[in-house]
């Protein structure tokens, strides 16, 4: 049986050993690359950090389940104590600071059922999608941490501090480190296929409509979709650049759409070639994912690359939205139709509710537990 976090079992030793290795690696890699551009303004009061804040170049994702003894009313008390202990770490960064680490916490669907609490209505396990090759141990989870910072050592240190404040409450499920490549200030990061990733993210004004939940019982909360996606980088890289661009639906050099224009020009779904065919292929990734098919709704993508081994490289797809049904609709269009599907493997999947931000008078999760 996997030992809970805070105990002395092999699972905890393995996880903390991995975190220590991440810290050691920082001596070599932590200073490479430049800070990623902001997704929007710094977090507003009442909201968790790490959503619309500037995106640091390093991330550590950790997913946990509640330990076997953590359930019902006594489990809720234990989780409340853990969150009260976490709150000073979650609120350590002054509001409005554009630099520095961030910690974002999410809850999976089973978190609420285990504790006998009412889950937000939209929090349900994502459905299966055509082409998925999901492994249970590579996705899911009841408590999720997204830790972002300038260096792996900072991420690992924060993870250790959070775990030590959770004795006997959590047990590790999966974890994965991620990074952004060197990116010019104000630029859009590129994924391991070499294309800019996040060009069509919502503006700050659009995020108010499509990312954050409005007034009501979960005001200032949001939902996070996590997908672990292995990329066939060698196979994709062997394609001619023109074919790569038709698969993606954007120009590789600058990120602009196929019909022309700079990066942030809206892709024209109706632009045609002189021969009368659509310039943007029917199976292009950009066409199938276009907000036009969802009434203009957008999700905020905050992804990271990962590189575990030459045959295990990919994308940590992280997308925030106030209605997870948006992701389901988009992914159903992509599954089985997206030309990019031949070069990707979705093997981990999860949905988390990201509650409002914490403060000394209102510990994390107080609105739902």
């Amino acid at each position: 049986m996997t030992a809970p976090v805070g105990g002395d079992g092999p699972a905890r030793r393995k996880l903390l050993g991995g975190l220590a290795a991440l810290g050691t690696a920082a001596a070599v890699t932590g200073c490479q690359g430049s800070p990623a551009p902001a997704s929007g303004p710094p977090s507003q009061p009442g909201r968790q950090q790490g959503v619309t804040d500037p995106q640091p170049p390093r991330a550590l994702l950790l997913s946990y389940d509640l330990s076997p003894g953590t359930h019902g009313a006594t489990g809720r008390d234990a989780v409340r104590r853990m969150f009260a202990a976490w709150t000073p770490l979650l609120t350590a960064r002054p509001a409005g600071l554009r630099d520095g680490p961030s910690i974002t916490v999410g809850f999976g669907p089973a978190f609420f059922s285990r504790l006998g609490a009412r889950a937000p209505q939209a929090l349900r396990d994502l459905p299966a999608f055509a082409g998925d090759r999901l492994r249970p141990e590579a996705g899911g989870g009841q408590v999720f941490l997204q830790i972002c910072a300038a260096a792996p050592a900072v991420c690992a240190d924060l993870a250790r501090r959070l775990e030590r404040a959770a004795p006997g409450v959590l047990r590790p499920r999966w974890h994965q480190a991620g990074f952004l490549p060197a990116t010019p200030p104000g630029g859009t990061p590129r994924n391991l296929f070499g294309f800019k990733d996040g060009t069509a993210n919502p503006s700050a004004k659009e995020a108010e409509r499509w990312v954050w939940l409005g007034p009501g019982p979960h005001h200032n909360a949001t939902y996070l979709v996590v997908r672990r996606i292995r990329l066939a980088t060698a196979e994709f890289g062997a394609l001619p650049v023109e074919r790569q661009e038709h698969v993606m639906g954007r120009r590789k050099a600058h990120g602009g759409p196929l019909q022309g224009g700079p990066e942030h020009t809206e892709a024209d779904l109706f632009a045609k070639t002189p021969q009368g065919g659509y310039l943007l292929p029917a199976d292009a990734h950009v066409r199938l994912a276009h907000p036009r098919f969802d009434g203009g709704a957008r999700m905020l993508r905050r992804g990271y690359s990962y590189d575990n081994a030459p045959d295990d490289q990919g994308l940590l797809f992280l997308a925030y939205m106030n209605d997870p049904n948006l992701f389901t609709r988009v992914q159903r269009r992509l599954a089985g139709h997206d030309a990019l599907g031949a070069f990707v493997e979705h093997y981990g999947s999860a949905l988390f509710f990201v509650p409002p931000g914490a403060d000394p008078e209102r510990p994390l999760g107080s609105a739902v537990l």
Side-chain angles (χ1 to χ4, degrees):
M1 179 177 291
T2 305
V5 174
D8 296 320
R12 182 171 186 268
R13 289 195 295 271
K14 180 179 179 182
L15 181 56
L16 291 181
L19 297 179
L22 287 170
T24 302
V28 178
T29 63
C31 295
Q32 295 181 4
S34 55
S39 300
S43 297
Q44 297 182 14
R47 295 173 177 173
Q48 286 203 56
Q49 300 169 356
V51 180
T52 57
D53 299 281
Q55 191 173 359
R58 297 287 171 164
L60 179 58
L61 310 183
L62 304 107
S63 182
Y64 305 89
D65 289 327
L66 296 175
S67 62
T70 304
H71 58 83
T74 57
R76 286 199 303 274
D77 290 340
V79 169
R80 289 190 188 109
R81 290 192 295 270
M82 178 182 74
F83 288 159
W86 282 7
T87 294
L89 281 173
L90 303 179
T91 58
R93 184 167 56 136
L97 185 66
R98 297 191 67 87
D99 300 307
S102 65
I103 303 170
T104 312
V105 184
F107 309 146
F111 171 84
F112 293 91
S113 58
R114 280 288 302 275
L115 299 178
R118 182 186 296 274
Q121 185 176 5
L123 184 64
R124 297 182 294 273
D125 287 323
L126 293 171
F129 299 103
D132 280 359
R133 300 181 65 182
L134 301 182
R135 305 201 314 264
E137 73 278 8
Q142 296 169 10
V143 177
F144 178 78
L145 296 175
Q146 172 197 275
I147 304 176
C148 301
V154 178
C155 296
D157 178 66
L158 288 171
R160 284 192 293 266
R161 294 169 68 183
L162 291 165
E163 289 179 357
R164 288 167 181 161
V169 178
L170 302 176
R171 59 176 180 174
R173 185 178 178 94
W174 60 267
H175 71 281
Q176 176 66 61
F179 65 92
L180 295 177
T183 304
T188 304
R190 292 181 182 270
N191 56 37
L192 294 182
F193 283 155
F195 281 79
K196 295 190 174 187
D197 198 330
T199 294
N201 266 341
S203 65
K205 182 178 180 180
E206 289 171 331
E208 291 299 315
R209 179 176 182 184
W210 302 117
V211 175
W212 300 105
L213 288 165
H218 303 305
H219 188 208
N220 287 326
T222 184
Y223 292 91
L224 168 62
V225 170
V226 179
R227 301 280 282 183
R228 300 174 70 180
I229 307 172
R230 186 173 289 111
L231 304 182
T233 53
E235 291 83 349
F236 187 83
L239 298 177
V241 170
E242 183 179 11
R243 175 58 184 155
Q244 293 180 22
E245 292 177 339
H246 280 84
V247 168
M248 287 290 190
R250 290 191 177 277
R251 299 299 181 190
K252 190 170 187 177
H254 52 76
L258 295 186
Q259 84 267 7
E263 177 186 352
H264 296 286
T265 303
E266 187 78 13
D268 185 350
L269 303 184
F270 305 104
K272 293 190 175 183
T273 66
Q275 294 74 33
Y278 284 113
L279 188 63
L280 189 61
D283 59 357
H285 183 77
V286 164
R287 175 181 287 279
L288 292 169
H290 199 281
R292 180 184 182 91
F293 299 118
D294 296 290
R298 296 176 183 266
M299 59 186 83
L300 173 63
R301 289 169 291 147
R302 191 183 166 89
Y304 284 87
S305 295
Y306 76 85
D307 187 354
N308 294 335
D311 61 348
D312 187 11
Q313 301 173 322
L315 174 68
L316 302 174
F317 176 89
L318 304 167
Y320 290 90
M321 64 209 78
N322 57 20
D323 180 7
N325 289 321
L326 170 61
F327 175 80
T328 299
R329 293 194 303 270
V330 173
Q331 190 59 30
R332 280 179 172 158
R333 288 200 303 271
L334 293 171
H337 304 286
D338 185 5
L340 191 60
F343 305 96
V344 302
E345 177 190 340
H346 294 247
Y347 67 94
S349 181
L351 175 65
F352 299 101
F353 172 74
V354 178
D359 59 50
E361 288 74 36
R362 185 182 58 184
L364 179 74
S366 57
V368 293
L369 290 180

